[in-house]
């Protein structure tokens, strides 16, 4: 594994020398909006009813804002490439970094080949196929093309790739702005047919059912820092971008979710196609009609705007996948040349400055997930969507259990590091984040525990009381497998760790040994 290393140059220094600085302040801002605002999960929140909006507001205060403050400090104080991986490794060592980083990375190709691809298919079905389902071969073809377009976008240098995420951010502004205006016009013409005020009352059962997807919607502030050495001025730009993206992202979530809840009849809000269905219904104000049973038909300008909305929706879900693949693939590549993954994965393209090998690896994993899930669910798109979303949420959130406390640990082990921004009240706020995260992970794996494990008020839809053991295995086994792969990656990275230790001025395992800038 070390035979190809240039004599006298450590793997970390060799690869980081290929990085190119193209990532400016507003590039980071638009990248974050694409990262955090996932239109594929808007319907999953709205489908839970009015209390979903209530809990979304509560968690914005107690989770979203503290998390933004935490990553504003980490991203500006430690702006090296690899961000979330590097912080974890610096705080807790290579083994913890390897396991955590694999959990962080693997969810993204699963998400790309799962919920994102199938959400794009849903939009195309509704607006371009008369609402009829595509055949399984057609779904596979559309989804595979979708996956590899995202991979190609991730392969491109940030000099070009950053414009893709900028377009994605403006697609969100246009889509959700058009939807919001249409909701107001629809309500003025037809009245409100959605939920009453009483449905917004919060309940514990609703919180358990919602907390996973809400926290999943609210994570991602750390992702641009995976490209820290490609930023022009991370110490200034990271806090700037995080603050503004937090405000914009909350509004981009809150307004359309409230619109769906107030306008669309409750029995028409589904996890799978809720936003797309709501778009079709409200766009009838421009041309079309809605029957007594809620079926919408678009004509004239309504059809034109519907088609535009579908294209914007697909662009939004595509750029969600692109940003997460761009960031998480860089973190995995850094772990490869830092000794926490196979050296083969830790190679950057000399011309593009991007981790092409990991990008292709992500595309292969996404394609396998897509094909396997379609076969297992026998082409049931809604079932496919729910199954993949559950695995993605649980694995993603578990990875933050070590990323968050890294701030606290690094405050102690590296007190002299320059911190242009410092998180206020970092101890109580970090504890709050950890408690919320730990409770959420517990509920994802064992809903209702410890007070009413798999009880009627906490059991996921579609599951029976007798299937508690099966559900537990479904949630635990993938996590245990991923942890095992992380340990394997750590073992395969041993030669690279030795090379870095021998060829660098300081041992690679020293807590404050960071990658060369």
């Amino acid at each position: 594994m070390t035979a190809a290393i240039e004599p006298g140059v450590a793997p970390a220094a060799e690869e980081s020398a290929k990085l190119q600085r193209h990532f400016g302040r507003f590039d980071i801002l638009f990248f974050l909006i694409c990262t955090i605002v996932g239109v594929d999960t808007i319907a999953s929140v709205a489908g839970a009813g009015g209390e979903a909006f209530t809990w979304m507001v509560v968690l914005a205060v107690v989770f979203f804002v503290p998390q933004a403050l935490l990553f504003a400090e980490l991203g500006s104080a430690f702006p090296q490439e690899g961000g979330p991986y590097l912080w974890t490794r610096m705080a807790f060592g290579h083994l913890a970094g390897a396991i955590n980083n694999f959990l962080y990375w693997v969810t993204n190709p699963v998400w790309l080949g799962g919920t994102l691809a199938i959400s794009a298919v849903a939009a195309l079905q509704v607006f371009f196929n008369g609402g009829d389902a595509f055949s399984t071969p057609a779904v596979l073809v559309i989804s595979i093309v979708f996956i590899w377009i995202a991979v190609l976008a991730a392969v491109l240098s940030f000099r070009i790739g950053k414009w893709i995420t900028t377009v994605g951010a403006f697609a969100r502004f246009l889509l959700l702005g058009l939807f919001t205006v249409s909701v107001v016009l629809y309500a003025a013409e037809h009245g409100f047919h959605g939920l009453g005020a009483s449905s917004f009352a919060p309940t514990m059962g609703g919180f358990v059912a919602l907390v996973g997807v809400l926290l999943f919607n609210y994570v991602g502030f750390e992702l641009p820092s995976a490209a820290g050495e490609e930023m022009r001025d991370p110490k200034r730009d990271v806090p700037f971008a995080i603050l503004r993206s937090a405000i914009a992202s909350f509004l981009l979530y809150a307004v359309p979710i409230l619109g769906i809840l107030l306008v669309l009849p409750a029995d028409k809000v589904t996890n799978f196609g809720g936003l797309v269905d709501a778009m079709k219904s409200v766009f009838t104000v421009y041309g079309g009609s809605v029957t007594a049973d809620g079926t919408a038909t678009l004509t004239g300008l309504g059809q034109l705007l519907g088609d535009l909305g579908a294209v914007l929706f697909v662009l939004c879900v595509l750029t969600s996948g692109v940003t997460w693949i761009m960031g998480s693939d860089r973190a995995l590549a850094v772990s490869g040349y830092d000794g926490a993954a196979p050296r083969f994965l830790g190679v950057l393209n000399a011309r593009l400055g991007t981790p092409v090998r990991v990008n292709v690896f992500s595309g292969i994993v996404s394609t396998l997930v897509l094909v396997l899930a379609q076969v297992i669910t026998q082409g049931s798109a809604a079932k496919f969507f729910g199954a993949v979303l559950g695995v993605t949420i649980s694995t993603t959130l578990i990875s933050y259990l070590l990323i968050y406390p890294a701030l606290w640990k690094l405050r102690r082990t590296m007190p002299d590091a320059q911190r242009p921004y410092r998180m206020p009240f970092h101890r109580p706020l970090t504890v709050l984040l950890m408690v919320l995260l730990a409770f959420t992970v517990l509920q994802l794996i064992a809903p209702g525990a410890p007070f009413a494990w798999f009880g009627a008020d906490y059991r996921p839809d579609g599951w029976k009381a007798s299937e508690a053991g099966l559900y537990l295995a479904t949630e635990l086994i993938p996590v245990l497998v991923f942890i095992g792969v992380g340990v394997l990656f750590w073992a395969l990275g041993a030669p690279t760790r030795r090379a870095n230790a021998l060829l660098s001025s300081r041992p690679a395992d020293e807590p404050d040994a960071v990658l060369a800038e």
Side-chain angles (χ1 to χ4, degrees):
M1 290 187 186
T2 59
I5 298 175
E6 182 180 339
V9 179
E14 178 189 11
E15 298 301 332
S16 63
K18 301 174 184 177
L19 296 170
Q20 305 167 11
R21 294 187 183 272
H22 295 299
F23 214 13
R25 172 173 291 193
F26 285 96
D27 302 323
I28 300 171
L29 172 60
F30 297 140
F31 187 97
L32 275 170
I33 290 173
C34 280
T35 298
I36 297 171
V37 182
V39 296
D40 61 308
T41 55
I42 285 177
S44 296
V45 177
E51 69 172 308
F53 185 81
T54 303
W55 286 121
M56 184 182 72
V57 174
V58 171
L59 288 173
V61 175
V62 301
F63 181 82
F64 193 48
V65 172
Q67 183 197 200
L69 299 176
L70 184 148
F71 286 125
E73 175 173 333
L74 284 175
S76 57
F78 305 101
Q80 291 78 18
E81 195 81 359
Y85 157 72
L86 184 66
W87 306 329
T88 305
R89 193 274 285 168
M90 290 166 60
F92 306 112
H94 278 94
L95 178 58
I99 295 171
N100 208 63
N101 197 49
F102 187 80
L103 289 169
Y104 185 79
W105 169 81
V106 74
T107 59
N108 296 296
V110 171
W111 187 42
L112 177 64
T115 59
L116 294 181
I118 210 65
S119 294
V121 170
L124 296 176
Q125 285 177 173
V126 169
F127 288 101
F128 294 107
N129 201 44
D132 297 329
F134 291 124
S135 65
T136 298
V139 170
L140 289 172
V141 170
I142 294 169
S143 300
I144 289 172
V145 171
F146 177 91
I147 288 168
W148 287 98
I149 289 175
V151 170
L152 176 61
V155 165
L156 298 172
S157 164
F158 254 133
R159 181 174 61 86
I160 300 172
K162 67 182 183 180
W163 292 107
I164 297 174
T165 58
T166 299
V167 169
F170 279 94
R172 284 160 172 77
F173 298 148
L174 184 56
L175 174 66
L176 299 177
L178 176 62
F179 177 74
T180 301
V181 171
S182 302
V183 164
V184 174
L185 296 176
Y186 185 89
E189 183 175 330
H190 299 282
F192 292 100
H193 300 287
L195 304 171
S198 62
S199 67
F200 288 83
T203 65
M204 191 60 187
F207 178 72
V208 168
L210 286 162
V211 67
V213 70
L214 288 175
L215 263 58
F216 180 68
N217 283 348
Y218 280 160
V219 297
F221 285 118
E222 78 293 340
L223 195 66
S225 294
E229 291 177 48
E230 297 168 77
M231 295 178 181
R232 291 175 183 149
D233 190 1
K235 292 184 178 294
R236 291 177 177 270
D237 294 347
V238 168
F240 171 92
I242 285 180
L243 172 63
R244 284 154 181 80
S245 66
I247 297 170
S249 297
F250 176 76
L251 293 175
L252 288 170
Y253 270 131
V255 173
I257 287 174
L258 188 60
I260 291 174
L261 292 172
L262 294 177
V263 172
L264 199 66
D267 60 350
K268 296 297 180 183
V269 180
T270 66
N271 287 356
F272 175 53
L275 179 59
V276 174
D277 291 337
M279 286 165 51
K280 190 170 185 179
S281 293
V282 299
F283 285 172
T284 58
V285 298
Y286 307 110
S289 60
V290 180
T291 62
D293 65 356
T295 302
T297 302
L298 296 175
T299 59
L301 180 59
Q303 181 65 57
L304 180 62
L305 290 177
D307 293 346
L308 173 62
V311 171
L312 291 172
F313 183 91
V314 172
L315 187 57
C316 288
V317 294
L318 176 66
T319 50
S320 286
V322 169
T323 54
W324 278 97
I325 291 294
M326 280 181 171
S328 64
D329 282 6
R330 279 167 166 78
L332 184 60
V334 171
S335 71
Y337 63 71
D338 189 49
R343 179 71 176 97
F344 173 82
L345 294 175
V347 175
L348 301 179
N349 183 277
R351 182 170 63 88
L352 301 173
T354 56
V356 176
R357 292 183 183 180
V358 182
N359 295 151
V360 173
F361 185 33
S362 291
I364 293 171
V365 172
S366 292
T367 304
L368 290 174
V369 167
L370 168 73
V371 174
L372 182 61
Q374 281 288 321
V375 171
I376 291 173
T377 61
Q378 298 178 340
S380 172
K383 188 176 181 181
F384 178 25
F385 181 93
V388 176
L389 182 61
V391 172
T392 302
I393 291 174
S394 60
T395 309
T396 297
L397 295 183
I398 288 171
S399 70
Y400 287 89
L401 286 170
L402 284 181
I403 298 175
Y404 290 157
L407 178 135
W408 201 333
K409 179 70 179 293
L410 293 173
R411 280 273 187 106
R412 298 204 320 268
T413 58
M414 300 184 67
D416 296 329
Q418 182 183 7
R419 289 172 169 82
Y421 172 83
R422 295 178 69 90
M423 178 185 184
F425 310 108
H426 78 280
R427 289 187 178 87
L429 289 180
T430 303
V431 170
L432 175 62
L433 287 171
M434 291 297 296
V435 169
L436 277 171
L437 195 63
F439 178 79
T440 302
V441 170
L442 175 63
Q443 296 311 311
L444 288 167
I445 294 174
F451 33 87
W453 153 235
F454 227 63
D457 291 338
Y458 306 99
R459 195 181 312 136
D461 291 341
W463 289 83
K464 302 175 184 177
S466 60
E467 296 176 322
L470 176 62
Y471 182 88
L472 184 63
T474 301
E475 294 298 314
L476 271 180
I477 290 175
V479 173
L480 295 176
V481 170
F482 295 153
I483 290 173
V485 175
V487 174
L488 176 63
F489 272 26
W490 169 79
L492 294 174
T496 308
R497 292 196 297 277
R498 288 195 293 269
N500 279 325
L502 288 171
L503 299 173
S504 298
S505 59
R506 289 185 291 178
D509 286 324
E510 188 173 315
D512 61 343
V514 298
L515 303 181
E517 293 190 56

